[in-house]
Amino acid sequence: MAALVGRGVRDMLKRADFMTVPRRQRHKKKWAATEPKFPATRLALQNFDMAYSVQFGDLWPSIRVSLLSEQKYGALVNNFAARDRVSAELEQLSARDFVNEAIFHGEPEPESGQTAAPPPASWACSPNLRCFTFARGDVSRFPPARLGSLGVMDYYLMDAASLLPVLALGLQPGDTVLDLCAAPGGKTLALLQTGCCHNLAANDLSTSRAGRLQKVLHSYVPQDVRDRNRVRVTSWDGRKWGELEGDIYDRVLVDVPCTTDRHSLHEEENNIFQRSRKKERQMLPMLQVQLLAAGLLATKPGGRVVYSTCSLSHLQNEYVVQGTIELLANQYDIKVHVEDLTHFRKLFMDTFSFFPSCQVGELVIPNLMANFGPMYFCKMCRMT
């Protein structure tokens, strides 16, 4: 696949190494073994300061302090547990179901004596999802999830913005679904909660991460449901999925590896800004293009794909989408249409802060009053 990437994508990659530290800020290796440690978290912050101060301008100081502050979470209700009881308990904590609240308030009111026209199909959210959050400015925490009376966990704690790509995918009953980069499993679990998956393929190249995904499924989804939904967990190279199972899926989620901006500022473990991972970091946009291209090739004509990252970088977001669309047009004669998510953004703007100037797709930016994200997502339709 790498050999096929056109000039437009290569140009993008030339710009991708925004993570390089200026010469004056580097420290040289010393002869002594007492070389000072330079934490990956600090290197990440330096790189973000350089790149994002340009990309976001006056918004960056607010985003920066939010990224460095405690993250907010949402509680995704497990529909395979006693969901009404769980929802009532979450409401007693003064949390609210942001999904159904937004959908209810977003429904157009019919004019007097008329029936409201149904919204366009592209506006449809994936159904049956309940996710509770605390109001803007409320920094309360949810208690840890516990095992319920039906033998599965009551709810799953996640960054509530991570649910948006699943909602945007617009699953319909009977869909054949692929989650191409599925671990650690929150979005896969959400896909199953919709009740729409006739078949669900959940893939992650890392066998250890796929193991974490299996643990989530076993903790939250009964065995008979996993069997009935024909859930298949694999550890294949996602870049080759279009060759393995082309033109098969109704809906594909491509939640790619990225710089995981918030994690990179708080955790040394598995931090992509470790010096030993510099080459891997530089190659991320190429990998992301390959994965998105494979996801689109696996989709039926007329099917939908959502691309998502938890990075603020337009090099990993809009540029990857545009580069992949160019690649498929040039190399495969496949036309891909980016769907407008303006209505979707308006539905959820009471819960999340959105960046107003994305070229394509939508970006949730961290904000102290609503400290979710970052989460970028873009919905596409494979036309041919």
Side-chain angles (χ1 to χ4, degrees), residues 1-2 5 9 12 165 169 178-181 203 237-243 245-247 249 251-257 283-300 303-309 314-329 332 334-339 360-361 376-382:
M1 175 75 74
V5 179
V9 181
M12 175 186 71
L169 198 52
L178 168 63
D179 188 351
L180 191 58
C181 310
N203 180 71
D237 185 345
R239 295 172 296 181
K240 299 178 180 177
W241 207 282
E243 304 165 20
E245 294 184 348
D247 307 333
Y249 294 92
R251 297 288 189 272
V252 176
L253 178 62
V254 187
D255 184 48
V256 294
M283 294 303 294
L284 271 176
M286 174 73 81
L287 172 63
Q288 291 159 345
V289 166
Q290 293 171 329
L291 287 167
L292 178 53
L296 284 160
L297 289 171
T299 308
K300 297 175 181 175
R304 285 352 190 244
V305 174
V306 169
Y307 172 82
S308 62
T309 78
H314 56 193
L315 298 172
Q316 299 175 63
N317 296 337
E318 297 103 310
Y319 286 16
V320 167
V321 170
Q322 292 165 334
T324 306
I325 291 173
E326 177 187 330
L327 168 66
L328 290 187
Y332 296 92
I334 290 176
K335 183 180 179 183
V336 176
H337 170 69
V338 174
E339 298 196 349
V360 291
Y376 173 81
F377 56 103
C378 182
K379 185 176 184 180
M380 289 154 272
C381 177
R382 176 175 164 179

Side-chain angles (χ1 to χ4, degrees), residues 219-287:
S219 298
Y220 285 86
V221 184
Q223 179 67 51
D224 65 311
V225 175
R226 297 198 302 272
D227 292 341
R228 191 166 66 245
N229 285 274
R230 300 179 179 87
V231 181
R232 176 171 52 119
V233 177
T234 58
S235 293
W236 298 349
D237 185 345
R239 295 172 296 181
K240 299 178 180 177
W241 207 282
E243 304 165 20
L244 298 167
E245 294 184 348
D247 307 333
I248 286 180
Y249 294 92
D250 300 296
R251 297 288 189 272
V252 176
L253 178 62
V254 187
D255 184 48
V256 294
C258 65
T259 46
T260 54
D261 292 1
R262 193 184 286 271
H263 171 87
S264 294
L265 291 175
H266 291 273
E267 302 290 339
E268 286 296 315
E269 185 178 355
N270 197 32
N271 193 315
I272 199 163
F273 284 87
Q274 293 168 355
R275 292 186 179 278
S276 60
R277 300 181 69 183
K278 180 180 179 182
K279 186 68 173 177
E280 178 186 353
R281 193 168 71 242
Q282 291 173 329
M283 294 303 294
L284 271 176
M286 174 73 81
L287 172 63

Side-chain angles (χ1 to χ4, degrees), residues 50-57 60 312-315 317-318 355 363:
M50 285 184 290
Y52 295 155
S53 60
V54 175
Q55 182 177 332
F56 294 101
W60 172 236
L312 293 163
S313 171
H314 56 193
L315 298 172
N317 296 337
E318 297 103 310
F355 181 57
L363 174 64

